[in-house]
Amino acid sequence: MSTSAELQANSNLHPIAPLDASLLTITRAETLKPLPAPGYAFDHMLVMEYDPLRGWLAPEIKPYGPLPLDPSSNCLQYCSNVFEGMKAFLGPDGKLRLFRPDKNMQRLAVSAARMGLPTFDPDEVLKCIKKLVAVEERWVPTEAGHSLYIRPTMIGTKPSIKVGPSSNAMLYALVLPVGPYFPTASPTDAGVSLLAVGEQVRSWPGGTGGFKLGLNYSPGFVPQQRAAELGYDQVLWLLGDEQKVTEAGAANFFAVIEREDGGILVVTPPLDGTILPGITRDSALTLLRAHAAAPSSGILGLSPTLAIHVEERTLGVPELTRAATAGRLLECFGVGTAVLVVAIERIGHVVHPKMHTIEDIEMRGGLKGLGQVGRALYHKLSALKEGREQYSGWSVLCE
Amino acid sequence: MSTSAELQANSNLHPIAPLDASLLTITRAETLKPLPAPGYAFDHMLVMEYDPLRGWLAPEIKPYGPLPLDPSSNCLQYCSNVFEGMKAFLGPDGKLRLFRPDKNMQRLAVSAARMGLPTFDPDEVLKCIKKLVAVEERWVPTEAGHSLYIRPTMIGTKPSIKVGPSSNAMLYALVLPVGPYFPTASPTDAGVSLLAVGEQVRSWPGGTGGFKLGLNYSPGFVPQQRAAELGYDQVLWLLGDEQKVTEAGAANFFAVIEREDGGILVVTPPLDGTILPGITRDSALTLLRAHAAAPSSGILGLSPTLAIHVEERTLGVPELTRAATAGRLLECFGVGTAVLVVAIERIGHVVHPKMHTIEDIEMRGGLKGLGQVGRALYHKLSALKEGREQYSGWSVLCE
């Protein structure tokens, strides 16, 4: 085996290859699959491999199948895995669109760097992903609210149990058709319940919660199961004695509170390193601020007389409880690629730790679905993602 | 695909199989490998698969090779991976021994449960691991301080991007010959340098640092690289404003401080969920307490007049600094399966955050290697691990 000094010397003598989408090869599957059960199976996948001596090999689209991974692979031993979630929607013009895919690619690169994985040009990856979507076009659902979910994934494949960054890597993508978050109910009328959990902590200052790493998710499996046993759909992750809200399940959390002056406060936790910098979150904040700056613009279809105040700041369970008690908690919702905008109908939280007594925070008037702010965001973001409207170049043709 | 309710119903009708070592099959490789470079390649591996409908399939020892994993596998997407580290040593009687392997197996089961992975009988896994070591016996080094490293690993193999526990799993083990931590220097005379890092945080209350999960390691890769660039061998992980010490690299941390009454304080951070419950750590504490309780027993070969006070409690960088300044910091060392007992010769820590000024904490008299406590533990633990001595049934024949 070469030492890292030798690898370095080699790479100086023989420049290694950058990721280059123009080298993409496509090998089509000989037989295509029947429509699989939701969440499973696909015809093709995109695979890009990185070797420390040669750099990025030519990207390949090939029949979907198992990846042969050495049992000592860095990704299996130390979890140097990162991923992204994107959706391709069919527009009214019959064209496929992605939503701010450059943001996903940039975040993927940032996540990879945090894990010490090889670097790449995000634009080249996006080009290859668009080709994969084109090859898999027959999977794109035509029903409203349905889409082709895309899962870019990058894993460290160095075959060694040495504790350290992986010199080898594989960047791959798979696709699968997905429906809306609520298969039967109207997404603006249905909601989820959250159990606020502080005993297990998803993220911490100086931790990795601000990156989209695979390793941020599995520690939540068991707490999520416990929440389900107690009758809650998802976990609301808390941090510290102040019971600061970080994330809701795998979505960013928003609360809408009526201010004493009659204005509407829309508050979401800040990007302090414990929160995933969600692209739907960023889009929602941008649209809300556009309304706040020019209420008469009608950007969100909200009343021009509605004074919205947007705040990115720490938000704790005590503040939510006080607002609910005062009848000023108008709505809470989660936003993300998977859920788009999902109403939170109640938040269970432990009020007497020793007795394990759980009380629910409810919305004003017992609201179960989205309120006016959540609905406005849901409709606007749907229109943008589905290509029915355009804003600031966010909807990108997938071609 | 079956729903989990269907799986449950199925499992009630047809009891699924527990992990059963007596079903082990062994398929020998047709050609054996030449001695590989350190850290790479092996002839055989142990593989045990779990299927939610059938339970644990018959364990297999088979030629070492890639695992075919679905790209959507839970382990690749969400890092539901756990592992253990063990060593088999050749004793003076020519017999192979493991050191407290039951502890490794129990910890593996606890780690798996934290990830929501299927359960198993730890004893059955140990039986199969012993068989693997027997099959791979030609790799066991005969030189003093060398051993056969064993890496049991368990991964979630459910082929679905659904965020949740993996209903499928693979438990496998690989082996490789390893040498002592310091290949050339005497392990009692050499030491490592640590850079105390508080900006990135390895573990936190409510986090997963108390379990042996793969995901605890990759977030340390980049901080470790930065420490190396600054001239330090490993990271000393800190937590919070009090700069509490958690772990040293991938080892448990011990400090030895001279008390005002002339006694010797041996202090290590407590198992508060932020520290790996190390088996070498537990063994060191047990031996130190045995000496403290009966100094004349000679258990550690230390002077009967040496009054050792063992404390498991929070320990911060300020306390280490004060002790060093007062000339009372006798030694620091890390303990673990990989390092056994490794001296810490200096600890760099940032004294002026804005100026990024780093100062080194040094041991009394500029000691670089192990002091009397570290040496005593090193020699005793070596003797126990290598089967030259026995204590409390810790050394277990591998047969």
Side-chain angles (χ1 to χ4, degrees):
Chain A
M1 290 303 300
S2 305
T3 66
S4 64
E6 285 166 348
L7 291 182
Q8 189 59 43
N10 266 323
S11 78
N12 291 344
L13 287 172
H14 311 288
I16 62 174
L19 201 161
D20 183 350
S22 71
L23 300 178
L24 176 70
T25 63
I26 300 177
T27 309
R28 290 192 179 263
E30 291 185 11
T31 54
L32 299 181
K33 292 174 183 157
L35 188 70
Y40 290 88
F42 333 77
D43 284 322
H44 298 90
M45 60 183 178
L46 165 68
V47 178
M48 295 170 268
E49 287 192 76
Y50 181 89
D51 172 298
L53 293 174
R54 293 181 289 170
W56 286 98
L57 313 189
E60 293 177 277
I61 288 170
K62 56 187 183 183
Y64 189 87
L67 307 171
L69 295 175
D70 193 279
S72 70
S73 294
N74 195 282
C75 60
L76 299 177
Q77 297 295 331
Y78 308 122
C79 300
S80 52
N81 308 354
V82 306
F83 72 91
E84 277 298 321
M86 309 162 74
K87 284 179 174 175
F89 286 90
L90 208 57
D93 55 1
K95 290 182 178 168
L96 269 174
R97 281 178 184 77
L98 297 168
F99 185 73
R100 309 183 76 184
D102 53 319
K103 293 280 179 194
N104 291 99
M105 294 298 101
Q106 286 160 13
R107 191 169 62 181
L108 185 69
V110 169
S111 299
R114 180 65 187 84
M115 292 283 89
L117 290 170
T119 57
F120 53 85
D121 180 344
D123 291 341
E124 295 298 303
V125 178
L126 183 55
K127 285 178 196 167
C128 295
I129 285 176
K130 286 179 174 177
K131 290 271 171 54
L132 175 67
V133 172
V135 168
E136 292 294 70
E137 198 166 3
R138 77 184 187 101
W139 291 114
V140 182
T142 52
E143 299 154 81
H146 291 239
S147 60
L148 190 71
Y149 184 83
I150 307 161
R151 173 57 65 93
T153 308
M154 187 169 176
I155 61 176
T157 52
K158 182 178 181 183
S160 165
I161 62 166
K162 185 175 183 329
V163 179
S166 182
S167 54
N168 305 60
M170 192 185 286
L171 203 171
Y172 62 89
L174 48 91
V175 298
L176 65 162
V178 291
Y181 192 77
F182 295 107
T184 51
S186 160
T188 55
D189 295 335
V192 298
S193 56
L194 301 181
L195 179 64
V197 171
E199 202 179 335
Q200 289 92 22
V201 177
R202 177 189 172 275
S203 178
W204 187 262
T208 57
F211 301 89
K212 199 154 181 76
L213 312 180
L215 62 84
N216 289 329
Y217 293 84
S218 52
F221 292 169
V222 169
Q224 160 66 31
Q225 280 185 316
R226 288 201 197 122
E229 285 161 15
L230 292 167
Y232 294 87
D233 296 311
Q234 294 283 338
V235 169
L236 180 67
W237 295 106
L238 305 183
L239 174 61
D241 294 335
E242 314 94 309
Q243 297 185 285
K244 289 194 282 188
V245 168
T246 59
E247 290 195 20
N252 288 121
F253 180 86
F254 282 74
V256 182
I257 298 171
E258 190 180 65
R259 302 193 342 165
E260 308 233 341
D261 66 3
I264 301 289
L265 169 66
V266 182
V267 57
T268 193
L271 299 181
D272 60 359
T274 69
I275 308 280
L276 186 77
I279 295 159
T280 309
R281 175 189 180 279
D282 179 76
S283 305
L285 285 172
T286 301
L287 293 168
L288 289 165
R289 285 180 172 137
H291 171 91
S296 61
S297 66
I299 177 77
L300 277 171
L302 289 167
S303 162
T305 61
L306 193 72
I308 287 183
H309 307 268
V310 182
E311 295 182 8
E312 284 180 81
R313 64 158 169 84
T314 296
L315 172 72
V317 167
E319 181 179 355
L320 291 173
T321 307
R322 282 196 304 274
T325 305
R328 294 192 289 107
L329 186 61
L330 303 182
E331 60 173 322
C332 293
F333 52 84
V335 307
T337 296
V339 300
L340 190 55
V341 181
V342 64
I344 295 163
E345 59 171 51
R346 61 191 174 104
I347 301 170
H349 63 112
V350 176
V351 283
H352 298 297
K354 287 192 181 162
M355 292 188 289
H356 295 287
T357 308
I358 296 174
E359 277 184 10
D360 280 350
I361 298 171
E362 296 189 341
M363 308 305 128
R364 184 162 82 183
L367 182 74
K368 302 294 179 203
L370 293 168
Q372 64 176 337
V373 174
R375 259 170 211 260
L377 285 171
Y378 176 83
H379 289 302
K380 184 70 181 184
L381 288 166
S382 295
L384 294 173
K385 293 197 175 189
E386 293 170 15
R388 290 180 278 110
E389 294 182 31
Q390 180 60 283
Y391 181 83
S392 197
W394 287 355
S395 302
V396 176
L397 282 176
C398 185
E399 55 185 21
Chain B
M1 290 302 299
S2 304
T3 65
S4 64
E6 285 165 350
L7 292 181
Q8 188 60 42
N10 266 321
S11 79
N12 290 344
L13 288 172
H14 312 287
I16 61 174
L19 203 161
D20 183 351
S22 71
L23 300 177
L24 176 71
T25 65
I26 300 177
T27 309
R28 289 192 180 264
E30 291 186 10
T31 54
L32 298 182
K33 292 174 182 156
L35 189 71
Y40 291 88
F42 333 79
D43 284 323
H44 297 89
M45 60 184 178
L46 166 67
V47 178
M48 294 170 269
E49 286 191 78
Y50 181 89
D51 171 300
L53 293 174
R54 292 182 290 170
W56 286 98
L57 312 189
E60 293 177 276
I61 288 171
K62 54 187 184 183
Y64 189 87
L67 307 172
L69 294 175
D70 192 279
S72 70
S73 294
N74 195 282
C75 59
L76 299 176
Q77 297 295 331
Y78 306 121
C79 300
S80 52
N81 309 355
V82 307
F83 72 91
E84 277 299 322
M86 308 161 75
K87 283 178 173 175
F89 285 90
L90 208 57
D93 54 2
K95 291 182 178 169
L96 269 173
R97 281 178 185 77
L98 296 169
F99 185 73
R100 307 183 76 184
D102 53 319
K103 293 280 179 195
N104 291 97
M105 294 297 101
Q106 286 161 13
R107 192 170 62 182
L108 185 69
V110 168
S111 300
R114 181 65 187 83
M115 292 282 90
L117 290 171
T119 56
F120 54 86
D121 179 345
D123 291 341
E124 295 298 304
V125 178
L126 183 55
K127 286 178 197 167
C128 295
I129 285 175
K130 287 180 175 177
K131 291 270 170 56
L132 175 66
V133 171
V135 168
E136 293 294 71
E137 198 166 2
R138 78 184 186 100
W139 291 114
V140 182
T142 52
E143 299 154 82
H146 292 239
S147 59
L148 190 71
Y149 184 83
I150 306 162
R151 173 59 63 94
T153 307
M154 187 169 177
I155 62 176
T157 52
K158 182 179 181 181
S160 166
I161 62 166
K162 185 176 184 326
V163 179
S166 183
S167 54
N168 305 61
M170 192 185 285
L171 203 171
Y172 62 89
L174 49 91
V175 298
L176 64 162
V178 292
Y181 193 76
F182 294 107
T184 51
S186 160
T188 56
D189 295 336
V192 298
S193 57
L194 301 182
L195 179 64
V197 171
E199 202 180 335
Q200 289 92 20
V201 177
R202 176 189 172 274
S203 177
W204 53 85
T208 57
F211 300 89
K212 200 153 179 78
L213 311 180
L215 62 84
N216 289 330
Y217 294 83
S218 51
F221 292 169
V222 169
Q224 161 65 32
Q225 280 185 316
R226 290 203 196 120
E229 285 162 15
L230 291 168
Y232 295 86
D233 296 311
Q234 293 284 337
V235 169
L236 181 67
W237 296 105
L238 304 184
L239 173 63
D241 294 335
E242 313 94 311
Q243 299 185 284
K244 288 194 283 189
V245 169
T246 58
E247 290 194 19
N252 288 121
F253 180 86
F254 281 74
V256 182
I257 299 171
E258 189 181 64
R259 302 192 343 165
E260 308 233 340
D261 67 2
I264 301 288
L265 168 66
V266 182
V267 58
T268 192
L271 299 182
D272 60 0
T274 69
I275 308 281
L276 186 76
I279 295 159
T280 309
R281 175 189 181 277
D282 180 77
S283 306
L285 284 172
T286 301
L287 293 168
L288 288 165
R289 286 181 171 136
H291 171 91
S296 60
S297 65
I299 177 77
L300 278 171
L302 289 167
S303 162
T305 63
L306 193 71
I308 286 184
H309 307 269
V310 182
E311 295 182 7
E312 284 179 82
R313 63 157 170 84
T314 297
L315 172 72
V317 167
E319 181 179 354
L320 291 172
T321 308
R322 282 196 304 275
T325 304
R328 295 192 288 110
L329 186 61
L330 302 181
E331 60 172 323
C332 294
F333 51 84
V335 307
T337 296
V339 300
L340 191 55
V341 181
V342 63
I344 295 162
E345 60 172 49
R346 60 191 174 104
I347 301 171
H349 64 112
V350 176
V351 282
H352 298 298
K354 288 193 181 161
M355 293 188 289
H356 295 287
T357 308
I358 297 174
E359 275 184 10
D360 280 348
I361 298 171
E362 296 190 341
M363 308 303 129
R364 183 162 84 183
L367 181 74
K368 302 294 180 203
L370 292 168
Q372 64 176 339
V373 174
R375 259 171 210 260
L377 284 172
Y378 177 83
H379 289 302
K380 183 71 180 183
L381 288 166
S382 295
L384 294 174
K385 293 196 175 191
E386 294 169 15
R388 290 180 278 110
E389 294 182 30
Q390 180 60 283
Y391 181 84
S392 197
W394 288 355
S395 302
V396 176
L397 283 175
C398 186
E399 54 184 22

